[in-house]
Each structure stands twice: as C-alpha cells, then as structure tokens.
Amino acid sequence: MYDGPQDRRPLRERPVDSLISFIIPVLDEEEAIPHFLRAVDLAFAGTGQRLELLFVDDGSTDGTLTLLAGLAAADPRIRVLSFSRNFGKEAALTAGLAHARGDAAVPVDVDLQDPLELVPRFVEQWRLGYDVVYGVRADRRSDNPLKRHSARLFYRFFNLLSDTRLPQDTGDFRLLDRRVVAALAQLPERERFMKGLFAWIGFRAIGLPFERPARVAGRTKWRPWKLWNFALQGVTSFSTVPLRVWTYVGAVIALFAFLYAAFIVLRTLVLGIDLPGYPSLMAVVLFLSGVQILSLGIIGEYLGRLFKEAKQRPLYIIAEEYPPPAVPDAPRLAAGVPQPWT
Ligand code: UDP
Ligand code: MG
C-alpha cells in the first residue's frame, strides 16, 4: 500500500536527539484532552523521544483553555496558543506549524481518530530519509455513509479538476520534516486548504495505511454545510477549470443556437410562416438565464476569494499563549505566515 517513491536515496541527516512537535487544534475538547495525553504517553513509553505538544485552542467556549493552561504549567512539553475566536481548523494548523520548534511536526486530531501509535513508525520512515510521511485511511467505517461517499466523490472531483494530486483518503495526519514546514510557511495565501497545500509542496513522501477509529469523546465539529464550503474552498484554491469551462459551454450553446436559427429560416422558406413557439421560447430563455446565473455564481466564488486575499488580513489572532511569551505583547497580531525556524 506504499505509494510514495520507492527508491531509497542516501539518508538525509536527522538529528539524533530529535524533537517531534505535535500540532493539536482543539475546539471545545475538554473531554478528549486527558485521553489524548494518556495516548501520547502510551505511544512513546520507553522510546526516550523528545516531544513538544503544541495545542492550538481555536476559540473554545468550554473549559478547554483553562484545562490546557493548567497542563502547560505542570508539563514542560505542553505549549498552548489560544485564538481570540474560532478561526477554523486550517488556521489553527497554520498557526501550529508556524510556532512549532521541532525537527519534525505532526498535526493530529485530539479525538484520537489519528492513532498515535502510528507516529513512532512515521518517525522511523522520516529517519530513513522521507520528508513527509502521511497516514492513509485503510477504511472509513467510523464515518457515517454520507460523509464517506461525499468524501470519495470529492477526491475524485478534485483530482479530475486540479493538477495537484490529492492522495485518496489522506487527512491532515502526517509527519512533516522542518524543511517542509518552512516551505509551507512560504505560501502566502489566506485560503489555506491544507490537504492541497501539503500535496502541492512535494518532497519525498510515503503513505502508511491505518484504520481510523471512532471519536474517543465529544462530538464532531463538522456540519454538512461546513464540509460543503470546505470542498468548495479546496476546488477553487487549486483549480480554475470551473471558471474556464463556461467558454466551452457558451460555444456549444451558441453552435446549437446557430443551427436552430438556420433550421427556422429554412423551414419558414419552405413551409411558410407559423406562429406557435411560446413554450419552446420560454424553455430556451429560462435555460440560458439559468446557465448565465450559474456561471456568474462561479465567477463570484473566485472573486470572493480574490477579495479575501486582497485584504491581506492575518489568518488568525493569538490572544493568549502558555507558557507566556518572554516579551508580553497581548493581544499579539500574528502575521499570517511568520517564518518558523529562523
Ligand atoms: N477543530 C478545530 N476547529 C474547528 C473544527 C475542529 O480546531 O473549527 C479541531 C477539533 O477540535 C479536532 C479536529 O479539529 O481536534 C478534528 O475535528 P473533528 O473531530 O470534529 O472532525 P472529524 O474528525 O469529524 O472530521
Ligand atoms: Mg474527529
């Protein structure tokens, strides 16, 4: 099931006493966090691996931040960035990647749907010279059928329209070498469809299959409407086919219109004039208005995104940080894409 490059070129130097940064976006997850920490300890028990646990609190409204602040005070591995409001998981990942200090970074969900026992195997592959090691969901039985089918459709549609290949059934769960993280930080766009960006930057990558278990505690934060918008964001960030297709749709319709006009002229010459035609006229007018509005809507999707890019607002605002930064400057405006390791 490996689908990365198979040749093993000379090993790249990896630090002996490496630090691995977990990047953990959390939104109202006070129930799941204790399970998560236990799972981390279990996965790395006896390995001596140095870890950084970088939680990004994406505007939680329950006790998540209080819990995390307490944990950060007690455990030197734990760091917490807290957003001023909910900016979305993609922004949380971006913030985490920008602030991670490790030799490699691993974005994970806190609900243990990304099995942590796989991470030591990610690290093994990374030591062998791979820059990106991603998890491939071997089965998606834990997702409900609607989400499963819509996800499959989305991957198909995306790969059809875009030059960037998204590997099927991969999420954000992966290990990224610090060079890859630095490359990601150079992408200036505000629309951050992380799956697509991960695929776009390239580097030597390998996939490891895993079974995705059900959520350990709490509830999923994704609603169908949010997922739909996420899919739209993915396609519009990585393909201009939906914009260009209208040239061809227009050309085909114009061709049919021309043929039909020629037919009417001929028929009138041969058979004389007849008047009926209101229903067909109506149908054609409605069809064409529909097509025009639809294409305008698609242009609007792109225009809206351009507008967002043009405003150059930061991707997120960090309101609090634990342990507190050496120079307190709250609330700190994180420039959208700070350079992590300079
Ligand atoms: N999450 C977040 N911001 C959001 C939505 C989700 O930080 O706006 C976090 C959430 O706390 C979890 C991860 O992203 O750690 C995945 O979310 P969830 O399990 O709800 O998604 P699913 O696994 O159902 O796709
Ligand atoms: Mg989940």
Side-chain angles (χ1 to χ4, degrees), residues 54-82:
L54 179 52
F55 287 92
V56 185
D57 167 35
D58 187 11
S60 299
T61 50
D62 65 353
T64 298
L65 184 58
T66 324
L67 173 68
L68 286 175
L71 287 167
D75 186 338
R77 297 175 306 173
I78 296 180
R79 284 174 65 205
V80 184
L81 304 174
S82 179

Side-chain angles (χ1 to χ4, degrees), residues 24-29 56-58 86-90 92 108-111 113 137 143 147 212 215 219-222 226:
I24 315 135
V26 283
L27 171 61
D28 296 340
E29 301 279 11
V56 185
D57 167 35
D58 187 11
N86 178 257
F87 281 89
K89 187 182 172 189
E90 311 292 294
V108 283
D109 288 358
V110 75
D111 57 9
Q113 287 199 285
R137 292 173 200 172
D143 285 339
K147 185 158 178 208
R212 190 164 161 89
R215 213 175 210 289
R219 285 189 301 121
T220 175
K221 308 296 174 309
W222 292 102
K226 213 166 153 186

Side-chain angles (χ1 to χ4, degrees), residues 122 235 291:
F122 282 6
V235 171
V291 167

Side-chain angles (χ1 to χ4, degrees), residues 289-311:
S289 332
V291 167
Q292 277 179 5
I293 293 170
L294 183 69
S295 59
L296 264 181
I298 288 178
I299 294 173
E301 280 293 329
Y302 282 87
L303 191 66
R305 278 162 225 278
L306 270 178
F307 179 53
K308 249 171 132 178
E309 296 289 337
K311 279 188 293 190

Side-chain angles (χ1 to χ4, degrees), residues 159-308:
N159 285 334
L160 190 74
L161 293 188
S162 165
D163 296 332
T164 304
R165 288 267 92 69
L166 273 193
Q168 277 273 351
D169 293 326
T170 58
D172 299 318
F173 183 38
R174 58 188 63 218
L175 178 143
L176 306 162
D177 183 68
R178 57 188 288 170
R179 294 190 308 149
V180 180
V181 178
L184 268 176
Q186 284 174 30
L187 303 183
E189 60 225 81
R190 261 99 259 280
E191 287 277 315
R192 294 191 89 77
F193 183 65
M194 292 310 269
K195 281 186 231 285
L197 299 182
F198 287 148
W200 185 87
I201 49 173
F203 287 97
R204 297 226 297 156
I206 190 169
L208 297 184
F210 73 99
E211 310 241 320
R212 190 164 161 89
R215 213 175 210 289
V216 64
R219 285 189 301 121
T220 175
K221 308 296 174 309
W222 292 102
R223 301 278 163 274
W225 180 242
K226 213 166 153 186
L227 269 180
W228 165 251
N229 281 323
F230 188 53
L232 263 188
Q233 183 194 14
V235 171
T236 49
S237 307
F238 281 88
S239 171
T240 51
V241 172
L243 275 178
R244 295 188 352 240
V245 72
W246 299 104
T247 316
Y248 303 98
V249 172
V252 169
I253 290 176
L255 181 73
F256 274 110
F258 178 76
L259 290 178
Y260 187 57
F263 167 73
I264 290 174
V265 168
L266 277 179
R267 196 180 58 171
T268 313
L269 286 178
V270 175
L271 299 177
I273 295 168
D274 63 349
L275 269 181
Y278 174 76
S280 54
L281 200 65
M282 205 57 194
V284 169
V285 168
L286 286 179
F287 171 71
L288 288 183
S289 332
V291 167
Q292 277 179 5
I293 293 170
L294 183 69
S295 59
L296 264 181
I298 288 178
I299 294 173
E301 280 293 329
Y302 282 87
L303 191 66
R305 278 162 225 278
L306 270 178
F307 179 53
K308 249 171 132 178

